[in-house]
Amino acid sequence: MALDAIPSLQKRKIFTLLSHYSIEQLFSLNAEQLAKHKLKPEQINAFLAPNSTHITHCLEWQESAADNHIISYGDPRYPALLKQITSPPLLLYAQGDLSRLEASQIAIVGSRSCTPYGQQKAHDLGKHLAQAGFTVTSGLAIGVDGMAHQGALKGSGSTIAVLGTGLNNIYPRRHVKIASEIREKGLLLSEFWPNAPAYPSNFPRRNRIISGLSIGTLVIEASLRSGSLITARYALEQNRDVFALPGSVDNPQACGCLKLIQQGAKLVLDANDIITEYPELNISEAIHQKQHKPTKNKHFLLDMIDYHLTSFDTILARSGLDVVTLQNELIELEINGIIIAQPQGYIKLEG
């Protein structure tokens, strides 16, 4: 903890130092010896006078609840896959069931502003993968992350949320309830000390842990500038599998996934497409797929509404109906749960 509290000391530098010294030896070096390793003055001062307040606070946090854990890099509970990445965290703060770290993990990431289609797919894939025996790992963000966690909780409860904040500071606040359920049934994880706030720079760092814990990363709805593509890039750098859910070429939220598929990511239609990639895990493919309704009585308007946002004016032009008739037909489809209304238009859910 004292080493982790050294200001602005990068993980690579820490592991370089640890390749020459034990932790005890490091903190026994004098200022001149530390300076030879090109450390900054404030870093040298932190070695010479460790932040005892920080250390005490972290230890008190660990002792405050039976399911609070601090796992160091040398701890046998530290995930073996995470040790393989370029810059593994020196410490992991955890709340919940540590056995979730022992199961094979699949990361599910994607857009915060995902469509209803993306929300449903994230929920269903999270549920089916958890039911099959995987631990579903994500970042607790709104959108795809949150839906994947909720699906996994309904599946078997096997889910891990990796936070970009300390575990005393759940972010986003709207997911406090989900975080509480994950702590009860799964695991909350962070490399940041318990009261760490939500600095923007924390979240890209968090992404390397999400992919690093997992044997594969599934991306659901990501624009070309999405942070989820950072996680996919980390997965590739870590020699892990990358999966992507396809979407419409006209949907900006699907363009990142389509680009990944172009670059070699495996196209995923359902959980079995992931399960079959890992025959050595002996995971059953017996997943109940949604039964599609017969299409002989399909409403004619469904051919004019896309699975991504379609404006009223576009549907009006495609259908040739008058405004009042079209409004009535759309209301009927919405009541029947076949489409969903959005402020800028409609999205088809079925058909």
Side-chain angles (χ1 to χ4, degrees):
M1 276 179 278
L3 188 57
D4 200 47
I6 303 295
S8 304
L9 186 60
Q10 295 187 352
K11 297 297 185 292
R12 290 184 184 181
K13 186 69 171 182
I14 290 175
F15 285 104
T16 298
L17 291 170
L18 289 175
S19 69
H20 294 92
Y21 307 99
S22 68
I23 290 180
E24 292 79 8
Q25 289 171 331
L26 261 179
F27 282 92
S28 298
L29 298 177
N30 59 38
E32 184 179 349
Q33 291 170 316
L34 289 168
K36 290 179 181 179
H37 294 283
K38 299 181 180 179
L39 295 173
K40 298 175 182 178
E42 62 269 23
Q43 293 171 335
I44 293 174
N45 291 335
F47 271 107
L48 298 175
N51 189 338
S52 58
T53 302
H54 171 84
I55 295 170
T56 299
H57 178 86
C58 292
L59 291 175
E60 288 176 347
W61 173 85
Q62 180 176 230
E63 294 167 1
S64 66
D67 65 343
N68 284 0
H69 311 275
I70 300 176
I71 305 171
S72 68
Y73 182 83
D75 192 311
R77 300 172 298 175
Y78 194 98
L81 276 181
L82 194 57
K83 282 189 174 183
Q84 297 175 12
I85 72 173
T86 302
S87 182
L90 196 63
L91 292 175
L92 291 171
Y93 297 89
Q95 281 183 328
D97 183 1
L98 289 182
S99 70
R100 300 304 184 186
L101 290 171
E102 299 169 9
S104 297
Q105 297 175 46
I106 294 292
I108 298 181
V109 297
S111 174
R112 287 175 169 81
S113 55
C114 59
T115 65
Y117 166 82
Q119 292 175 3
Q120 189 65 51
K121 291 301 181 183
H123 178 278
D124 292 349
L125 284 161
K127 178 180 178 180
H128 291 156
L129 288 168
Q131 285 176 334
F134 286 105
T135 289
V136 173
T137 301
S138 197
L140 200 65
I142 60 174
V144 165
D145 290 22
M147 295 305 295
H149 286 307
Q150 290 180 62
L153 288 167
K154 289 183 180 178
S156 68
S158 192
T159 187
I160 294 175
V162 183
L163 277 64
T165 61
L167 297 183
N168 283 349
N169 186 22
I170 299 299
Y171 181 87
R173 294 303 298 170
R174 72 177 72 177
H175 279 177
V176 167
K177 185 177 180 180
I178 297 174
S180 178
E181 192 172 355
I182 293 173
R183 178 178 179 179
E184 182 181 338
K185 299 179 180 178
L187 186 69
L188 299 173
L189 205 63
S190 177
E191 69 174 315
F192 304 105
W193 67 291
N195 283 345
Y199 292 122
S201 60
N202 289 358
F203 295 94
R205 289 176 59 187
R206 177 272 311 269
N207 292 346
R208 84 190 194 288
I209 299 177
I210 293 174
S211 59
L213 287 167
S214 308
I215 58 176
T217 293
L218 168 62
V219 184
I220 296 177
E221 287 199 337
S223 68
L224 291 173
R225 298 175 62 86
S226 171
S228 302
L229 298 188
I230 297 174
T231 311
R233 189 183 75 239
Y234 278 133
L236 289 171
E237 292 172 353
Q238 295 160 357
N239 199 28
R240 311 295 165 80
D241 297 318
V242 176
F243 306 93
L245 185 80
S248 169
V249 294
D250 296 321
N251 178 10
Q253 294 294 349
C255 290
C257 292
L258 295 174
K259 189 71 173 179
L260 288 173
I261 292 168
Q262 271 190 331
Q263 294 171 345
K266 179 171 180 178
L267 186 152
V268 168
L269 300 179
D270 58 45
N272 285 334
D273 291 327
I274 295 174
I275 293 169
T276 53
E277 289 294 301
Y278 305 103
E280 71 278 6
L281 299 179
N282 295 317
I283 291 178
S284 171
E285 291 184 45
I287 293 175
H288 298 292
Q289 300 299 334
K290 184 176 180 180
Q291 297 298 314
H292 293 285
K293 297 178 181 178
T295 59
K296 64 179 182 179
N297 295 322
K298 184 176 77 169
H299 196 288
F300 74 97
L301 273 181
L302 292 179
D303 290 331
M304 302 165 196
I305 305 172
D306 301 315
Y307 285 104
H308 60 277
L309 191 66
T310 314
S311 71
F312 181 87
D313 288 343
T314 298
I315 304 170
L316 187 67
R318 290 173 178 176
S319 68
L321 298 175
D322 62 82
V323 171
V324 175
T325 301
L326 179 57
Q327 287 175 333
N328 290 336
E329 295 291 343
L330 290 173
I331 290 171
E332 181 183 344
L333 289 173
E334 185 181 3
I335 290 172
N336 290 327
I338 300 172
I339 65 171
I340 185 170
Q342 299 281 287
Q344 289 82 33
Y346 298 85
I347 296 172
K348 178 167 60 178
L349 300 178
E350 299 180 11

